[in-house]
Amino acid sequence: MKKSRFSEEQIIGILKEQQAGLPVAEICRRHGISDATFYTWRSRFGGMEVSDARRLKALDEENRKLKKLLAEAMLDVATLREAPGKKLLTPGARRTAVSWAIEEKGYSQRRACGLIGLEPKTYRYASTRGDDAAVRVRLRSLAGERRRFGYRRLLILLRREGLALNHKKLFRLYREERLSVRKRGGRKRALGTRAPAAVPQEPNQRWSLDFVSDTLDDGRRFRILVVVDDCTRECLALVVDTSLSGQRVARELDRIIKDRGKPLMIVSDNGTELTSHAILRWQEERAVEWHHIAPGKPQQNGFVESLNGRLRDECLNEHLFRSLPAARTIIEAWRVDYNTCRPHTSLGGLTPNAFATRSKQDQNQNGLWL
């Protein structure tokens, strides 16, 4: 708005000249104004003093500021409603919204940053971080091969290949690539405190046995005998068949003992196959101590239960078995991979075979391995 040549004080002084008796034409000629301007002044400032004019000017200025603030607030509300993205939670999303407000709505950078809630220096920051394209490609490839592996096990596999990565950086890439593994179902956990199971310090000190069931694609059920060494976490056997009696379990244990040696103790539940006369006779003949866990307490046989969970999650749930020979082939391949390739977090990222080899070397150095 064009600023007037006359202040409020001067205008009131001119109006008082007319009140003093001077003709309007003489006043307009003397001050260089038109009759319309004079009468406009009189309609606005007639009968006012200088203090009243100043007060009116302050009110007009405050009213102008309030109108401006209201217009800006309404514009900000409309801009936020039209902003791209539903939730501006990350700096990247906020930076995109600020750029949109500047380009599409004509906001200044500072005002747009204040509206979105982003510091101007954060908006202007230019990242020097690389895109890690090679790591991302390899990470996606490994996640495709190991669909049930989380980022920690994938990190171990990448480090085996010589990639030096911080776990926090890998987790960021893992999330950005949307590779998170969805947990499958849960089970109720026992409440309260209990003493942790003692971990054997030598191989063949204690084995654990259990059974796992699954079905073929034609609906026929089959069972899997799972045998694990509690010290090295090696999966000693995954015996697949439609029926596994106590005599069959005894034969499979003899086969494992022939290749590996005799255990001092075997832990199992109270299943009919594992409490049969065949098993009782076998343990007496082999002089092997057999411990049955308490009924309804699978946590007392936690090592083999953990292996059962990995077996079902990474193998049984991932394949459709068309025949019993195909199931044996696939499950045995998974057992070999579990022992030789899959990192075990409770063993410091080593595989069970690597841990067993290292333990054997340590025992030989100490002269304790028989």
Side-chain angles (χ1 to χ4, degrees):
M1 184 176 67
K2 184 178 179 181
K3 186 175 181 181
S4 174
R5 291 186 296 121
F6 300 91
S7 64
E8 284 77 3
E9 294 84 352
Q10 292 173 333
I11 292 173
I12 291 175
I14 293 171
L15 293 177
K16 286 185 176 182
E17 291 179 4
Q18 190 266 341
Q19 294 175 1
L22 286 178
V24 174
E26 178 65 19
I27 294 173
C28 292
R29 184 188 61 77
R30 180 184 299 178
H31 296 286
I33 60 176
S34 65
D35 294 349
T37 301
F38 177 83
Y39 289 114
T40 300
W41 287 352
R42 193 171 70 175
S43 65
R44 182 177 182 184
F45 299 103
M48 295 178 61
E49 297 295 333
V50 174
S51 60
D52 298 331
R54 290 175 180 174
R55 191 179 303 110
L56 178 63
K57 181 180 180 182
L59 290 174
D60 289 343
E61 180 66 19
E62 184 177 356
N63 187 40
R64 184 188 65 80
K65 291 181 179 179
L66 290 174
K67 287 183 177 180
K68 181 180 178 181
L69 291 174
L70 178 61
E72 291 179 350
M74 295 177 65
L75 179 62
D76 289 346
V77 171
T79 302
L80 288 175
R81 288 177 178 175
E82 300 175 13
K86 294 182 179 180
K87 295 183 179 180
L88 307 177
L89 301 179
T90 63
R94 293 176 182 271
R95 194 176 290 113
T96 301
V98 170
S99 299
W100 175 83
I102 294 174
E103 296 171 2
E104 300 294 331
K105 297 297 183 179
Y107 277 64
S108 66
Q109 184 184 106
R110 183 173 295 278
R111 184 182 170 193
C113 289
L115 174 65
I116 302 300
L118 185 70
E119 289 292 332
K121 62 181 179 180
T122 303
Y123 172 73
R124 293 190 293 266
Y125 173 75
S127 175
T128 58
R129 178 191 295 164
D131 58 356
D132 301 303
V135 178
R136 292 175 185 269
V137 170
R138 185 55 184 153
L139 180 61
R140 287 195 299 269
S141 176
L142 281 176
E145 297 171 5
R146 310 277 186 167
R147 291 189 293 271
R148 299 303 301 169
F149 276 20
Y151 80 97
R152 295 185 185 276
R153 283 198 173 88
L154 293 176
L155 174 62
I156 295 173
L157 296 179
L158 289 173
R159 285 177 174 173
R160 284 183 189 172
E161 297 177 2
L163 294 175
L165 285 175
N166 181 280
H167 71 280
K168 293 181 287 187
K169 177 179 180 180
L170 181 69
F171 180 67
R172 175 177 60 81
L173 299 178
Y174 182 80
R175 292 291 297 273
E176 290 176 359
E177 295 297 325
R178 300 181 181 275
L179 300 176
S180 299
V181 178
R182 187 174 182 179
K183 293 186 68 174
R184 287 173 173 163
R187 61 183 179 84
K188 294 183 179 180
R189 306 286 179 178
L191 300 178
T193 59
R194 56 181 181 269
V199 179
Q201 301 302 312
E202 298 179 9
N204 289 347
Q205 187 174 353
R206 188 176 70 200
W207 294 358
S208 294
L209 273 64
D210 200 7
F211 290 97
V212 178
S213 299
D214 204 12
T215 59
L216 303 175
D217 64 346
D218 59 4
R220 289 186 299 161
R221 297 186 64 84
F222 65 88
R223 306 183 74 195
I224 306 171
L225 172 64
V226 183
V227 185
V228 60
D229 188 309
D230 292 353
C231 174
T232 64
R233 311 300 201 279
E234 292 175 281
C235 182
L236 306 182
L238 291 176
V239 182
V240 181
D241 211 331
T242 55
S243 177
L244 293 169
S245 63
Q247 294 179 351
R248 177 68 182 280
V249 172
R251 290 201 306 270
E252 295 297 335
L253 291 176
D254 285 335
R255 180 182 60 82
I256 301 172
I257 290 174
K258 183 178 179 181
D259 297 333
R260 184 182 179 85
K262 186 174 66 173
L264 299 179
M265 176 188 289
I266 293 179
V267 180
S268 72
D269 58 18
N270 294 272
T272 55
E273 302 88 349
L274 304 177
T275 56
S276 62
H277 290 292
I279 292 298
L280 294 176
R281 185 168 52 253
W282 180 88
Q283 71 179 76
E284 290 178 0
E285 293 174 354
R286 304 298 186 276
V288 175
E289 183 181 356
W290 199 293
H291 174 71
H292 295 282
I293 64 174
K297 298 290 184 180
Q299 62 269 23
Q300 295 180 1
N301 202 10
F303 294 101
V304 72
E305 291 291 345
S306 175
L307 178 58
N308 292 345
R310 304 286 77 75
L311 171 63
R312 185 167 298 281
D313 187 43
E314 298 174 12
C315 181
L316 302 183
N317 289 344
E318 292 289 311
H319 296 88
L320 183 64
F321 305 111
R322 300 191 178 277
S323 64
L324 201 60
R328 288 176 178 145
T329 301
I330 294 173
I331 293 173
E332 179 61 21
W334 182 88
R335 186 187 74 85
V336 173
D337 178 80
Y338 179 89
N339 287 334
T340 59
C341 298
R342 184 186 185 278
H344 205 297
T345 53
S346 65
L347 302 179
L350 296 176
T351 64
N353 281 7
F355 181 80
T357 302
R358 191 181 71 171
S359 299
K360 185 175 181 180
Q361 293 174 352
D362 295 342
Q363 295 287 347
N364 287 336
Q365 291 176 1
N366 298 329
L368 299 176
W369 190 277
L370 299 179

